[in-house]
Amino acid sequence: MGFKHFATNVFLTYAITLKSVYADDDYITQLPINLYQSADITPQNADFDQVNNKFIAHPGWYNDIEVHYYKFHINGGTSLSEIPVQDFYVMTTDGTLSGAIGNPIIEFYNGGEDVGKGYSDYMNLKLVTVPQDYVADTFKSVGDITTHSQDATITDTDVYMNIPVVPNDSTLQHPNNKSELAPINPIPVWYKGNEVHTYLFEVTDESAAEHFAYTRPGNEEGFEITVADFVNDDGTLKDAPIWFMNGYTRGVVPGVNGGGPDPAGHKNIIGVDRGDVGYSPIWRLHWIMTLPLNYNANEISNPAQLFQDGVTTQPLDVWVNCPNAGRNGKVNADKKESFETEIDASDSSTWILGTTVPMSGVQEVSFTSSANGLEASTVSTETNGGGVYQYELSSCDIAPSATLVEVEYADDTIRTIEVDDIEERSCDDDMEDMKDNMASSSTEETPSDMAMAPSEDMDTMNSAALFTVGSSILAASVVSVMLL
């Protein structure tokens, strides 16, 4: 049932209860620090351009086509149902959006204690009917509504919005022209007597999209307010999967074929976009645990490619608000249809790429080759800051009669790869003896390639972090994440 059906009395209307407090009892004189403006680099603000107060447009793959998205609030927990939905109050003189007057009001801000107390990017529209002589912006807080609206009523609706609270005067990078700003204007709202800014992306009702269309000057294609069914009938949220690739850097040329959130990393992958059944701006992070041998950037750009030998994924209890925006772009010309699943020892070397959930930050990973546990040979390397190993294993480092190579982390085998054509392995004996007695961590990539490079608009970037949501601690790489 949509917003346009108010006249059928579908919505519950109830009177405001008066309280014996002053109008400004809940006002504050100074806003808490917005999460994106924290001095500490966290998964939440790692790819927010604090210098220019701008949200970066991150490239990703949607069924082999390049798309862009912004990264807003990160939620974590044991289930999607734990993500809160807060109220979004609109004053109206006639009980509908047509009579809306003044700025809307919210109860929770994206910073300080509110983050764990009730703040959410996802909001439920509440219509506050006020007298015809109401002066715009008389109410500037939820306290004003409850204490100074003796004859006002609140109407619940089934209209939901994805409308993150952002730093005041912050902007959105244009996805298709990174030197410009996206044609999306913020919506000012009141929070405890202070004007704060929001950006509206998705709504669940066409009438609400039409009302807030003024935030899209110029009507540029790809920036319309999206009508999407991202809320269940019971008010809980719906999600869609995003496959995290960004921790991997092999084959990436920053500024040319990079991804997001970090342009030095691979593009993350989605399978539903605006207009598709099942689209939601709430992306659940799926970590790609192993990639095919000798994998290069952009060879996977479609979810269908993730269900084959050599690729493993694992969902995490991490959800990121990543609304898609802008015109969809080029078709991926680097997509690969088939991949190698065994190490060919007759080749001089083999690239092995992967990670595992417990890894976060720089960790040591070993590669042990053996034949039935005999003639073992081990070399090791360190992961990058995202807990990702990208190692070029020389065939000379494989034991002479090996049948498999085991990837090991913290004394556990996290991956086993079969070895083929070991009898064709050809190495200099002196060089082989030297390598068998030392651990090698060299690769063809320079340290700057292995590290997460900063974006063109940022001075710093932290590609991985340990972050806490409530009592749950999750080790994860940044999406916008997810990707993000």
Side-chain angles (χ1 to χ4, degrees):
M1 191 68 67
F3 168 76
K4 58 188 176 182
H5 301 291
F6 280 115
T8 62
N9 296 319
V10 172
F11 308 109
L12 171 67
T13 300
Y14 55 92
I16 298 297
T17 301
L18 292 179
K19 296 182 180 179
S20 57
V21 294
Y22 294 101
D24 60 352
D25 265 10
D26 64 343
Y27 280 22
I28 59 174
T29 57
Q30 184 174 354
L31 289 171
I33 296 174
N34 193 288
L35 280 188
Y36 305 108
Q37 296 175 312
S38 171
D40 296 327
I41 300 300
T42 68
Q44 185 63 78
N45 67 5
D47 52 334
F48 174 69
D49 180 1
Q50 293 193 22
V51 174
N52 296 296
N53 202 24
K54 180 166 60 178
F55 289 90
I56 305 303
H58 306 305
W61 291 121
Y62 156 67
N63 294 337
D64 307 323
I65 301 172
E66 187 179 57
V67 294
H68 287 85
Y69 56 88
Y70 300 108
K71 191 193 85 176
F72 293 104
H73 204 75
I74 299 173
N75 290 95
T78 59
S79 71
L80 180 66
S81 63
E82 292 185 355
I83 299 177
V85 175
Q86 74 164 312
D87 293 333
F88 186 84
Y89 298 92
V90 173
M91 311 309 115
T92 171
T93 57
D94 66 1
T96 75
L97 281 176
S98 297
I101 181 170
N103 292 345
I105 293 172
I106 60 174
E107 184 175 2
F108 301 106
Y109 183 71
N110 190 20
E113 294 181 355
D114 282 3
V115 173
K117 201 164 109 178
Y119 173 76
S120 178
D121 285 357
Y122 318 111
M123 305 193 192
N124 179 211
L125 176 66
K126 307 284 188 183
L127 294 173
V128 181
T129 304
V130 293
Q132 290 291 326
D133 59 355
Y134 173 84
V135 177
D137 298 321
T138 298
F139 299 157
K140 298 181 180 179
S141 73
V142 173
D144 283 347
I145 296 174
T146 59
T147 63
H148 287 264
S149 302
Q150 185 172 0
D151 58 347
T153 56
I154 295 179
T155 301
D156 288 337
T157 80
D158 58 359
V159 177
Y160 294 83
M161 303 179 291
N162 177 21
I163 184 165
V165 177
V166 298
N168 282 2
D169 300 317
S170 59
T171 57
L172 306 171
Q173 185 181 52
H174 197 297
N176 305 107
N177 188 340
K178 300 299 178 67
S179 63
E180 297 182 0
L181 300 180
I184 302 176
N185 287 339
I187 299 175
V189 303
W190 292 114
Y191 165 75
K192 295 186 176 180
N194 296 269
E195 182 180 280
V196 298
H197 291 175
T198 64
Y199 278 111
L200 177 61
F201 293 96
E202 288 86 8
V203 297
T204 59
D205 183 88
E206 183 66 41
S207 296
E210 292 172 359
H211 174 77
F212 291 105
Y214 67 86
T215 62
R216 301 309 198 262
N219 297 317
E220 186 174 340
E221 179 187 358
F223 295 94
E224 304 88 352
I225 296 173
T226 300
V227 178
D229 182 22
F230 66 93
V231 181
N232 294 304
D233 291 341
D234 64 357
T236 57
L237 302 169
K238 300 179 182 179
D239 61 10
I242 185 169
W243 286 272
F244 180 77
M245 292 279 281
N246 181 243
Y248 299 94
T249 61
R250 168 168 153 75
V252 168
V253 180
V256 177
N257 67 346
D262 181 349
H266 294 175
K267 295 180 178 70
N268 298 329
I269 299 167
I270 61 174
V272 289
D273 190 19
R274 297 156 293 177
D276 293 342
V277 175
Y279 170 75
S280 172
I282 308 166
W283 300 100
R284 184 179 184 181
L285 194 66
H286 289 240
W287 198 321
I288 296 184
M289 309 297 290
T290 61
L291 281 169
L293 301 177
N294 295 317
Y295 181 84
N296 234 328
N298 303 325
E299 291 178 345
I300 292 177
S301 55
N302 192 306
Q305 294 174 277
L306 300 172
F307 302 96
Q308 59 181 299
D309 290 343
V311 183
T312 59
T313 68
Q314 179 168 330
L316 299 178
D317 291 334
V318 180
W319 291 267
V320 188
N321 181 14
C322 291
N324 292 2
R327 299 181 302 278
N328 290 356
K330 63 185 179 181
V331 175
N332 182 18
D334 298 318
K335 180 182 176 182
K336 195 171 180 180
E337 297 298 337
S338 61
F339 297 94
E340 302 162 55
T341 59
E342 298 180 350
I343 294 174
D344 186 347
S346 66
D347 294 335
S348 61
S349 62
T350 302
W351 279 93
I352 306 175
L353 297 82
T355 186
T356 190
V357 167
M359 291 197 297
S360 179
V362 178
Q363 304 287 343
E364 183 174 339
V365 178
S366 299
F367 303 81
T368 298
S369 55
S370 64
N372 298 319
L374 303 175
E375 295 187 285
S377 177
T378 299
V379 292
S380 63
T381 188
E382 288 186 337
T383 68
N384 63 20
V388 164
Y389 59 84
Q390 303 173 117
Y391 184 71
E392 186 180 26
L393 178 65
S394 170
S395 293
C396 294
D397 287 333
I398 300 175
S401 59
T403 57
L404 54 84
V405 169
E406 294 178 313
V407 184
E408 299 166 330
Y409 166 68
D411 298 325
D412 290 328
T413 298
I414 59 175
R415 184 177 186 181
T416 300
I417 309 168
E418 293 184 5
V419 177
D420 192 23
D421 292 333
I422 191 64
E423 67 279 358
E424 298 183 26
R425 187 187 74 120
S426 177
C427 294
D428 179 87
D429 290 340
D430 292 336
M431 180 63 71
E432 182 178 340
D433 290 341
M434 180 180 70
K435 288 187 175 182
D436 283 341
N437 289 313
M438 64 181 292
S440 171
S441 61
S442 64
T443 71
E444 289 184 356
E445 294 185 88
T446 63
S448 60
D449 288 331
M450 289 297 292
M452 292 298 208
S455 75
E456 59 185 1
D457 293 308
M458 300 167 59
D459 295 323
T460 59
M461 171 73 73
N462 182 3
S463 65
L466 186 68
F467 60 93
T468 304
V469 185
S471 61
S472 175
I473 300 178
L474 304 171
S477 296
V478 173
V479 177
S480 205
V481 295
M482 40 196 57
L483 139 107
L484 99 208

